[in-house]
Structure formats: structure tokens, C-alpha cells
Amino acid sequence: MFDFGKDLKRFVASGVGGQTRDPRVLELLPTAMVAEQAASEAPLAGQSSQPWRAWRDVALIWVGHARRTGLTSSLEAAGRAADQALAAATAGHAFAFASTVAAEALVARFDLRGDLEALDEADAAVEAAAAEPHARRAEPAVAAIHARIRARRALMDNDPASVRAAAALLDTALHLDSRRGTDPDPWRLVRVVDLRMDRAELSLQAGLRWHDERLLDQAGRDLRVLMDHVDGDVLPITRARAIRACGLALSALGHMAGRTEAMEQAIELMALGRDLFDADHSPLDAAALLAAQAETLLRWQQAAPVTQLLKSAEDLLTQAWKLCATRSTGLEVEIRLRAGRVKTLLAYADGDVAALSGQEARLRQRLARGGTDPVSWAVDQLCLARVYEALDELGCAPGRSWAAAYARAEATETLRESGLGAVV
């Protein structure tokens, strides 16, 4: 699909910590090659004329790798490189830039794992960067990561006013970057794309949560602007992420309006996104697209109940699960929840009380065994709540509505405390 040798040469043309290479080219490289590049640069970073800059490059390469694979080892490597950048940057703009890189690695950890402590540490790193005197050159980078953290906080707050404030910060950061068009920092190109993507995701996630057509329309406008600035030949993964978001917004709007043709268009659009890269090129992005298609099929099935739609959703979720199983990401949790929901809906559609009772018994058995993972406990509780609701709707005695409400409330609170409230 891509000319990997040529693409790698384009990236390393100017050597370790170089100023002329385009880091966007990393999206064209397979994950194994990205990891090899980061590992090969690390031993040379300390010998660079600007070691903090070389370590920053290594850290950001590992962050991109982690976002595509979900690997803990990549997150840890990004954190170590960011620490080295901080150690090499004693003051001024170098220290501010290094602090933003440390925050970037921590935000990636939060996005993938729901680690609230990492988000707090990212806030502290941004505060340190903002307080650094003589760091004007780093101002756009500091403003960008600050705005992106506020966007995540706003979605956790579940408050429309916080979302509006975060959107304003993202717009301000974009405006600040637009005034620095001659900035020689090659990572500015990546930073602007990340800001535009986060601006669209903020509107999308808030719109999905509150069923707000205005916010979903805003997400669509933001995504169109992003697509105008993204070359699919250079940024295939970013383009696929934008297509996924477009598909989710379109399917949600179609569901609200009762237009099944919009959901069909969303499915086709996301299939195009999957064609932009191979599944092993970015396993998490491939899984996210599959999960989004499955979610659209579930919305479609609500508008026009057809068992085949559920079976197709089940197949998509099975494929998605294979791509991200055991990586302990928020996406993995989302897929587990959707798969449990589909399984329950299929049994309910057939009126199969025995199958639902079997699901109930297995889930209760698993919960009774206990465990140390609160997230797995919450997933099982939510799945059990849906089984209870399905049995109630089929008229089975005794009534379980109170148990379903209790299980759902406890599980939702647990996921929120784990930083994964958005997956519910």
C-alpha cells in the first residue's frame, strides 16, 4: 500500500533531531518500523547537539506508536524519553517544549487506559511549562496541550458549559498556531492536526452523549475543515480517524431523524476508512472503525428491527476484539460492552429465555468469583443489567428492574472513577 523504504528515508533524511524532516510521514510506516526507528534514535539522542530535541522526537514517535497499538511498552518508552528530554532541557523554551512532550505522553496514557492520575500529572507538566520564563517560542505548544487536556476534562464533567469553554480554548490554540506559520518546528504540523481532531471529537462526543443535533452538526463542520487540511497520501490514519468520526455523527443524526439511509451511508463511509490502511498498520484504529460500524448497525436495528443487522454487528465486533484483545485499552472495554449487548439483543429478538438465563448465570458466577480489576467487574455488571432488562421485557418473573438499575448505576460510577465513563 505504501513505499515503506522511501517513506522511512523521507523521515530520517536530516538525521536525529533534525529540523527538516516531516514527522507526519510516520503514519505511512508500519508499526514495527516505527518502533525500530524510535529504538534506533534513542542511543544517539544524548550525542545530539540539542539532546532535549532529539529525546522529544523519540518520545513523540513512541506516543504515535502507542496510539496505534495500545502497547504498554510503548507508553513506558514514551515516558522514559520524555523524562530524558526534561533532564536535558534546563530552562527557557527548551524546558517548556520538553514539558509539553511529557504531558503528551501522559495524555496518551489517559486516552488509552483511562488513567486519571496521568491526566493530573499532565496538568502539572503544562503548569510548569506555562510558568517558565523566556519560553515564548513554546507558547503555541503549551496552549495546544492545555486545550486538549481541558477538552478531556470537559467530557468527564458532563457539563455543556465546560464543553463550550474547552471548545473556545481549542479555537484559541488553533488561532495561536495559525500565527506561527513560519515556525520551523516540524512537529507543529502534527500539533495542528491533533488540535483539529480534538476539536471535532469534543463536539462529536458531547453530541452523542446529549443527543444534540447542533453539536453533531458542529462536529461535521469541524471534520470537513480537518479533511481539507489532511492529505490521505501523507496521513492515512488521521484521515481514517476523521472518517470514523464523520460516520458516527452521520449515523447518530440519521437515528434521531429516523432515516435508515443515513445509517447505511455511514456504514459505507467507514468501510472506505478501513480501506485507507491495513489492519496491522494500526490495529487500534482498525478496531475502532469496526466498532463504530457495529454501533451504527445497532442504531439501524433500533429503527428497523432485523436480526441480520445484529448478526453483522456481532461479526464486526468479533473482528475488532481480535485486534485489541488483552491490550487493556478503553476501546477494548467498549467492544466488550457492545458484544455483550449484541448477544443479549439476539437472545431477546428470538424470545430465548433459556439463553438469557444462561447469560445471567454465567455473569453472576463470574461476579461471585470476584477479582481485583474494577473495570472488568463494571463490564460484567452492565452486561448483567441488560440481561435483567431483557428478561423483564419478556415478562419473566421475578421482576429484575430494580436490580438492573442498581447494577447499572454502580458499574457506571466505577467506570467513571476509572476514567472510562465515555464508553458507557
Side-chain angles (χ1 to χ4, degrees), residues 21 32 37 52 66 80 94 111 114 148 169 172 248 299 321 345 359 379 418 421:
R21 66 184 182 183
Q37 184 59 30
W52 73 265
R80 288 193 299 270
D111 287 345
R148 294 177 62 210
L169 282 174
T172 299
L248 283 172
R299 291 193 183 112
W321 170 252
L345 285 171
Q359 289 179 35
V379 169
S418 300

Side-chain angles (χ1 to χ4, degrees), residues 294 296-317 341-352:
T296 299
L297 288 173
L298 290 175
R299 291 193 183 112
W300 190 348
Q301 196 270 343
Q302 288 178 331
V306 178
T307 302
Q308 185 55 47
L309 291 174
L310 292 175
K311 291 180 178 178
S312 296
E314 185 177 42
D315 180 58
L316 289 168
L317 289 167
R341 179 182 169 194
V342 169
K343 189 175 182 179
T344 299
L345 285 171
L346 281 167
Y348 174 77
D350 292 337
D352 193 339

Side-chain angles (χ1 to χ4, degrees), residues 204 219-220 223-224 227 241-251 266 269-270:
L204 173 64
L223 288 163
R224 279 193 292 274
M227 297 284 268
R241 288 170 183 168
I243 286 173
R244 172 186 171 273
C246 283
L248 283 172
L250 178 59
S251 70
L269 179 63
M270 288 186 278

Side-chain angles (χ1 to χ4, degrees), residues 169-245:
L169 282 174
L170 288 166
D171 289 339
T172 299
L174 277 166
H175 178 68
L176 190 60
D177 249 317
S178 70
R179 292 163 50 195
R180 300 291 182 94
T182 58
D183 189 340
D185 182 8
W187 290 97
R188 188 187 78 86
L189 302 170
V190 175
R191 186 168 69 235
V192 170
V193 169
D194 287 342
L195 279 170
R196 293 191 184 281
M197 190 73 237
D198 278 8
R199 180 66 175 85
E201 277 287 338
L202 178 65
S203 298
L204 173 64
Q205 295 304 324
L208 291 173
R209 180 175 300 174
W210 298 317
H211 306 285
D212 188 321
E213 293 183 17
R214 182 187 58 81
L215 285 169
L216 291 171
D217 283 335
Q218 178 63 51
R221 289 192 293 273
D222 292 338
L223 288 163
R224 279 193 292 274
V225 172
L226 174 63
M227 297 284 268
D228 288 341
H229 288 78
V230 170
D231 183 351
D233 292 333
V234 177
L235 294 171
I237 296 172
T238 296
R239 194 169 184 84
R241 288 170 183 168
I243 286 173
R244 172 186 171 273

Side-chain angles (χ1 to χ4, degrees), residues 110 116 119 151-159 209 416 419 421:
F110 168 77
L116 294 176
L119 203 59
R152 285 152 178 80
R153 296 277 191 199
L155 288 172
M156 286 167 53
D157 289 344
N158 201 28
D159 177 12
R209 180 175 300 174
R416 189 173 291 115

